[in-house]
Amino acid sequence: MKNKLFALGFAALFMVSCSDDDNEAVIRKSELTRTWYPASYKVGNTVTPHDHQAGCNRDNISFDEEGSFMQVEYAEGCAVTTSTGEYSVSGNRITINIGEQTTVGTIKELTENKLVVVTKYDFDGDGDEETVRETYASAP
């Protein structure tokens, strides 16, 4: 279940988010450039911590200054899955290209230690989209 949530969460992180405050912040690529560790997902009033694989390194996503990113996931036995792509930032919008798939998301909060994205996707696998607040930390 952990891998499903992280994979869904990461993909949804970059889906289009529609709200009135989408353009209120300007994100500089230098602020995003670092490794981020998924911390939690909030749906309604319920916060679910990200379930990192015990005994393994922590799942993470990394953005570099040249516009590349990498997602690293650890599964049972510390088997690692790595995905790479490119990204660009415009205002508070981030565009991710993975192969032929392009997705766009809205960054709601970005500090030296915290990245927060609010998006919609089927978080619980019931076929209905939920509004999900994803929180990432810059330290494991």
Side-chain angles (χ1 to χ4, degrees):
M1 175 101 169
K2 183 252 333 169
N3 288 333
K4 181 180 177 187
L5 287 178
F6 182 60
L8 287 174
F10 181 74
L13 171 85
F14 303 106
M15 289 181 182
V16 174
S17 170
C18 298
S19 88
D20 294 336
D21 62 351
D22 283 349
N23 296 315
E24 69 183 35
V26 174
I27 306 299
R28 290 186 301 275
K29 196 181 273 191
S30 63
E31 295 172 320
L32 190 62
T33 303
R34 68 191 70 221
T35 299
W36 296 99
Y37 301 90
S40 65
Y41 310 92
K42 181 176 181 182
V43 178
N45 292 323
T46 303
V47 176
T48 304
H50 180 77
D51 185 18
H52 294 278
Q53 188 67 38
C56 302
N57 290 328
R58 313 248 321 160
D59 298 336
N60 64 78
I61 56 174
S62 298
F63 299 91
D64 72 16
E65 293 178 11
E66 288 78 40
S68 297
F69 84 93
M70 179 171 57
Q71 174 187 4
V72 179
E73 262 185 286
Y74 293 91
E76 189 173 328
C78 297
V80 64
T81 301
T82 303
S83 302
T84 59
E86 297 176 349
Y87 78 98
S88 62
V89 176
S90 178
N92 66 340
R93 297 257 182 181
I94 184 167
T95 302
I96 299 291
N97 297 303
I98 304 172
E100 294 185 20
Q101 182 181 3
T102 299
T103 51
V104 179
T106 302
I107 298 171
K108 296 296 185 179
E109 181 180 344
L110 179 60
T111 68
E112 186 175 309
N113 301 312
K114 188 176 182 182
L115 168 64
V116 177
V117 176
V118 176
T119 189
K120 288 187 176 195
Y121 61 97
D122 183 9
F123 179 78
D124 56 12
D126 67 357
D128 296 324
E129 285 190 343
E130 291 84 24
T131 298
V132 182
R133 180 180 180 92
E134 300 179 347
T135 302
Y136 295 80
S138 63

